[in-house]
Amino acid sequence: MTPLPTATAQPFTRVIELTIDGQPVVVPEGSTVLDACRERGIDTPTLCYGETLTPANACRICVVELEGARTLIPACSREAEPGMVIHTDSERVRLSRKMVIEFLASSVDLTITPSAQDYLERYDGHPERYGPPAPPDPERDHRRTGHHERPDGQTAATVHGPTKVDNDLYVRDYSKCILCYKCVDACGEQYQNTFAITVAGRGFDARVSTEYANPLPESACVYCGNCIAVCPTGALMFRTEHELRGAAAWDESRQTETETICPYCGVGCNLTLHVQDNQIVKVTSPDDHDITRGNLCIKGRFGFQHVSARSAEPGGAGD
């Protein structure tokens, strides 16, 4: 007797219903408030959020107002719950976001942070009202924990310091660092598990550092560059990009992107080659790629110099 065909069981996904800015929203269980906002088409500002990392709740610019809650909540990490009533553009939310972006812009160099200027304009931010920036502190890396110096009251305290150029692959300019923790997480347990960097110090003196503030070549860094991939402000940057920017020659409008496969091993990581003037200036990997999730090793990220050297030779690929 032939058995009767049976229907294949389909996975059941529970949904959550909530209200955002007066409009009903339905999202799958486990979604965050930020996911729900995006489902509604609401442009919620983010700086420390990354699609491939667990939210660190560091910058707080994505906060929204939840009816019944004492404080504003971070949309990037708070899970959506049934019956939530969310306001994303209330006076309280706008004031909080304005203060966050003002405090950041008064103490950090956000000139190449893609969204920062838009946020300043959107929330009428005026960081200059806190005073002119204090001069860079070359000893910032060696500040003693808990011994924060009293500001002079005439200038806005900053995190500015000398750019660290201690290797041939990438530079660290922590005057652009908003302390979002993304590089620490990517270097640590969420991806690379190298733990070459961490956050040292407390309060305003907190900064990303290698062990004992050693130069990068003397640290545990394996030069995978995954920290660069997640940095939202340009604090971590390919040395090629840094040098082009220093020469006022970096021009993304003249750059092309070419998708290819890394040739160094059999894993098959996807690469995106960023090319300017027939030279590879940096390499990235798509965040949505099943294998890499934006991550690469030193060979995939930085192993393109032989291509540039070949194209510069007579009769090479560049001729």
Side-chain angles (χ1 to χ4, degrees), residues 89-103:
D89 202 41
S90 66
E91 182 179 352
R92 190 180 176 195
V93 168
R94 292 187 63 85
L95 176 60
S96 177
R97 292 177 179 174
K98 174 181 178 177
M99 292 181 66
V100 166
I101 194 62
E102 280 187 340
F103 286 151

Side-chain angles (χ1 to χ4, degrees), residues 138-145 207 212-214:
E139 298 300 319
R140 178 173 168 78
D141 275 349
H142 303 284
R143 292 266 187 93
R144 291 179 60 193
T145 299
R207 66 271 182 193
Y212 303 109
N214 284 327

Side-chain angles (χ1 to χ4, degrees), residues 227-258:
C227 54
I228 307 173
V230 298
C231 179
T233 63
L236 303 171
M237 183 182 292
F238 277 76
R239 187 158 177 177
T240 47
E241 178 179 349
H242 174 73
E243 291 174 350
L244 284 170
R245 286 185 182 274
W250 180 263
D251 186 354
E252 293 186 5
S253 67
R254 289 162 45 205
Q255 294 176 13
T256 58
E257 296 183 6
T258 301

